[in-house]
Amino acid sequence: MAERRSLSTALSTPIPGVDPELVRSFVTQNQVSERPVSDRPIPAPTTPVEPTRPLPIESAPTPKSAPAKSIHERPKKGNRFQPVGLIPVTVRLRPEIAGALKRASLERELAGEDVFTQQSLVEQVLEPWLSSEGYL
């Protein structure tokens, strides 16, 4: 474990490539010296910076029994303004149900099933029930 040191010791130890006055002003919440920003040295990066790529968006697979629906499709009845995309919903489940859902998800993923995420499994079960009860 690293040796603990006081704040004043840490501030007195220079950090390579960082303006010590800038560090001191950050810690003490004082204004940086009257020196204009353009006069302060800008440290060069020590390691090459790689450009970032956006992460791919994974879409949940649709159940085989139901026809594929567009998320932009308008609702048949009800609210005129329908949100687009996925809406986070939080529910509390008994431990045995949550464990069974997790196990089903993992086993289906290992078996290479198309529908294996907890979200898609819950959607696959809820959608027919909501339709049969007249909510969809």
Side-chain angles (χ1 to χ4, degrees):
M1 190 161 137
E3 182 182 334
R4 295 179 61 93
R5 49 189 188 150
S6 69
L7 182 59
S8 59
T9 305
L11 283 176
S12 64
T13 308
I15 302 169
V18 178
D19 182 13
E21 183 65 26
L22 184 63
V23 173
R24 180 169 275 101
S25 67
F26 174 78
V27 173
T28 60
Q29 294 296 307
N30 291 332
Q31 292 292 335
V32 179
S33 65
E34 298 302 316
R35 209 166 52 165
V37 174
S38 60
D39 290 349
R40 285 191 217 127
I42 299 173
T46 56
T47 58
V49 179
E50 294 181 23
T52 58
R53 292 180 292 154
L55 295 174
I57 299 174
E58 295 181 18
S59 61
T62 56
K64 293 179 183 173
S65 60
K69 292 182 180 179
S70 167
I71 60 171
H72 303 288
E73 186 177 305
R74 296 201 67 142
K76 294 178 184 168
K77 60 182 178 180
N79 191 356
R80 209 172 96 172
F81 301 102
Q82 190 70 16
V84 177
L86 299 175
I87 308 298
V89 177
T90 304
V91 296
R92 293 178 178 264
L93 300 173
R94 292 189 321 262
E96 60 270 13
I97 293 176
L101 177 61
K102 181 73 171 179
R103 183 181 181 103
S105 171
L106 292 172
E107 286 182 0
R108 290 177 66 90
E109 182 177 13
L110 289 172
E113 297 283 335
D114 289 337
V115 178
F116 66 86
T117 64
Q118 292 181 29
Q119 174 181 323
S120 58
L121 290 172
V122 170
E123 284 178 353
Q124 189 177 29
V125 173
L126 275 178
E127 189 173 0
W129 181 80
L130 290 169
S131 293
S132 70
E133 295 293 317
Y135 296 110
L136 279 179

